[in-house]
Every structure is written in C-alpha cells, then in structure tokens.
Amino acid sequence: VQLQASGGGTVQSGGSLRLSCAASGFTLDIYTIGWFRQAPGEEREGVSCINGRDGTTYYSDSVKGRHTISGDSAKNTVYLQMNNLKPEDTAVYSCATAPGYYSGHYCLMGSLYDKWGQGTLVTVSS
C-alpha cells in the first residue's frame, strides 16, 4: 500500500507544473484524495482535494483559479495541475488519502487523512 508523489521541480514565476500521485495496492476511487504543502517554517496547508466517488473538487483560496485537481481511475493516479505559479507556492507537496468521502472545506483538513506519500519539492523563482 503506497502513495507515490512526483512531478516537482524548479520553475520561474508564471510557469506550470503537474504533480502526480500514484497509488499502488489499493484503488483511489474509494477515498478522498488531497494535496497538501508545507513551506519551510510554515504549517502544513491543504490546497486541493477530490472526492473519489463523484469527482467533486475543492481548493484553498490560495490556489483557486490557478490549480486543477483531477483523477484517472485507469491509472489509479490523481494529478495537480499548477498554473501561474508564484514564489509563495514554493513548498514540499504531498498527497494523502482519507477513508470515505469528504467535500467542501472539510476535505482540506489534514487530520482526516491516514495515508501519506512522500513529498515532492516545488520551487518557484521570481
């Protein structure tokens, strides 16, 4: 049972990256999947989540309109397309799953999640 996050890197302000969260050993569509980030010296922040049953998505105000979360059930993978990146998006991004289905701002609560992948570093230069 494993979550593997990938796709981080260094981009200039205004650039784009797509993060992937691949699951092995279990199927994502019975969970809520969230993306979280943690910048140095900052608390972890939930940025986006997707309800594995109906595909409902939710975003934090800090990324709304710039990032898009989506899932590919055939590949058992969830993506986070990040556009118009800003220096304040610099952080380690991790994906996680929560048992059950959550929507709205509740799905950004890290305490709901019990499986976590390793992080992938995103650095945005000005």
Side-chain angles (χ1 to χ4, degrees):
V1 176
Q2 189 177 5
L3 286 171
Q4 181 77 34
S6 61
T10 300
V11 295
Q12 290 188 328
S13 182
S16 299
L17 283 173
R18 188 178 77 159
L19 305 183
S20 300
C21 176
S24 59
F26 65 102
T27 179
L28 283 173
D29 60 6
I30 61 172
Y31 294 91
T32 296
I33 304 94
W35 281 101
F36 296 81
R37 68 185 183 186
Q38 188 165 21
E42 302 289 332
E43 291 189 357
R44 184 179 61 200
E45 174 192 14
V47 296
S48 186
C49 46
I50 185 168
N51 181 315
R53 178 175 61 187
D54 63 12
T56 302
T57 59
Y58 191 80
Y59 302 90
S60 67
D61 288 342
S62 59
V63 306
K64 192 179 300 180
R66 299 187 297 120
H67 295 186
T68 303
I69 190 171
S70 62
D72 185 333
S73 58
K75 295 182 178 180
N76 210 27
T77 298
V78 168
Y79 303 97
L80 184 67
Q81 177 67 44
M82 306 188 296
N83 297 327
N84 190 21
L85 283 162
K86 304 176 181 180
E88 51 263 43
D89 293 316
T90 295
V92 174
Y93 285 72
S94 302
C95 59
T97 59
Y101 302 111
Y102 301 94
S103 57
H105 68 277
Y106 293 106
C107 73
L108 295 184
M109 293 173 57
S111 58
L112 295 176
Y113 293 78
D114 61 358
K115 291 186 182 68
W116 292 81
Q118 93 296 346
T120 185
L121 177 62
V122 172
T123 303
V124 185
S125 60
S126 57

